[in-house]
Amino acid sequence: MAESSPHFDLSCELDAEIRRAAELLGRARRVVALTGAGLSVESGIPPFRGKGGLWTKYGEPPLDGYQRFLADPAEAWRSQLEPKEPWARALRDTLAAAKPNPGHLALVELEERGVLDCLITQNIDDLHRQAGSRALAEIHGNYSLLRCTACNARFPRESFHIDPEDLPPTCPECGGVVKGDTVSFGEPIPADVLERCFSEVEQADCMLVAGTSATVYPAAGFPVEVVRAGGCLIEMNPEPTDLTPIAGIHLRGPGGALLSRLVQHLDAGGVAS
Ligand code: APR
């Protein structure tokens, strides 16, 4: 059972809203969740925007990262193996140390209860996989994987031999150039994962959004699509976002505490799954 974050007190009004969200989820036919960097803040990974955000501190990175990779894959690999940007070093160190938090674990419990049908995450931190999520679409990739730019084959980074003297690494399946699975700025979302996301969004009649500023597309458009098709939107975020006006329920607070409490309401209320 995921324990709620100890340092966040739920008001009676907020708790009533969480119960209402649990009832909504229990009645929904097909529920898809969308998570962003905010859900991993309680695992020690800084978000990108807003308070303590990496881009807030260091500025948004250039939007042609993928084009620069293609222009000189070997050089791009050298700078990834020894990152020069302070934000890249900070992110690498926190990713290695991060562990799933109660928010990740609560989403696994929603999946195991049959309440959550699919989880789309923008996070590359591998924490949903580590927590045990199975029905998972990592729309911006996963830093622990490598991906072939030609055939889309993916490989665990730790079992792939990368020779710093022989860069870029090439695909054992097709010989194509291999890069990190994390989707670079300017890189198209891999077709396989994008098709899966569109299919899940099309079938959903309820979306649970946690920890995203809803500023990066196509992911930011998914909740809008669900609402446009007549579905309901539950948003969890300490701050309002562009989604807040279209959310049927907006729960203001940290994802860990809110999601853990939601699971408790599902238990207590015997909400059918
Ligand atoms: N619980 C829930 N939400 C939180 C928490 C928390 N403990 N702390 C912060 N937040 C919220 C912030 O209020 C903000 O709205 O999480 C959101 C984080 O927004 P971003 O940093 O913009 O992260 P995200 O929405 O995932 O960014 C989308 O942008 O740079 C790209 O590829 C990157 O996937 C990322 C994409």
Side-chain angles (χ1 to χ4, degrees):
M1 176 64 201
E3 294 307 315
S4 68
S5 309
H7 52 280
F8 181 75
D9 297 326
L10 291 172
S11 67
C12 294
E13 298 77 15
L14 181 54
D15 198 39
E17 280 294 275
I18 299 172
R19 174 164 179 75
R20 204 158 71 81
E23 287 161 0
L24 213 50
L25 291 175
R27 286 198 302 271
R29 178 180 37 77
R30 189 155 180 92
V31 177
V32 174
L34 171 68
T35 61
L39 195 71
S40 296
V41 162
E42 293 157 74
S43 295
I45 301 177
F48 295 103
R49 299 170 186 84
K51 205 164 59 184
L54 284 174
W55 304 159
T56 314
K57 191 170 172 190
Y58 297 108
E60 296 251 354
L63 296 179
D64 63 349
Y66 188 55
Q67 288 65 29
R68 284 188 291 121
F69 174 87
L70 294 177
D72 187 346
E75 180 48 34
W77 263 100
R78 274 189 286 276
S79 66
Q80 282 165 23
L81 292 174
E82 285 307 321
K84 297 184 188 65
E85 299 92 343
W87 66 264
R89 285 200 302 275
L91 189 55
R92 180 191 57 184
D93 300 344
T94 43
L95 285 175
K99 293 281 174 274
N101 67 53
H104 298 101
L105 298 175
L107 286 165
V108 173
E109 288 174 1
L110 291 178
E111 179 182 340
E112 288 175 351
R113 279 168 171 70
V115 171
L116 180 60
D117 296 286
C118 181
L119 168 53
I120 299 172
T121 187
Q122 301 172 86
N123 301 340
I124 53 105
D125 55 35
D126 194 47
L127 293 181
H128 284 302
R129 283 189 195 218
Q130 289 177 33
S133 288
R134 295 280 171 274
L136 177 64
E138 294 168 307
I139 189 169
H140 293 161
N142 183 314
Y143 92 106
S144 73
L145 300 175
L146 300 178
R147 173 169 38 88
C148 172
T149 54
C151 71
N152 241 12
R154 291 173 178 83
F155 313 93
R157 185 182 287 261
E158 63 190 18
S159 61
F160 197 100
H161 174 64
I162 297 169
D163 177 356
E165 300 308 314
D166 181 20
L167 294 172
T170 51
C171 175
E173 317 262 324
C174 77
V177 169
V178 165
K179 71 180 284 287
D181 184 44
T182 299
V183 176
S184 311
F185 280 94
E187 180 179 7
I189 306 281
D192 55 352
V193 70
L194 188 59
E195 276 153 34
R196 177 155 184 217
C197 291
F198 283 142
S199 162
E200 289 294 346
V201 167
E202 213 172 276
Q203 299 172 66
D205 64 337
C206 186
M207 182 164 264
L208 174 58
V209 178
T212 184
S213 60
T215 46
V216 173
Y217 288 79
F222 295 160
V224 177
E225 278 314 301
V226 170
V227 172
R228 195 200 309 273
C232 64
L233 177 57
I234 299 163
E235 183 182 31
M236 295 181 168
N237 195 318
E239 306 294 333
T241 71
D242 288 349
L243 294 177
T244 306
I246 62 167
I249 298 178
H250 173 69
L251 303 170
R252 287 196 77 154
L258 296 174
L259 283 162
S260 302
R261 187 65 182 140
L262 183 76
V263 170
Q264 289 168 351
H265 273 301
L266 282 170
D267 279 345
V271 176
S273 54

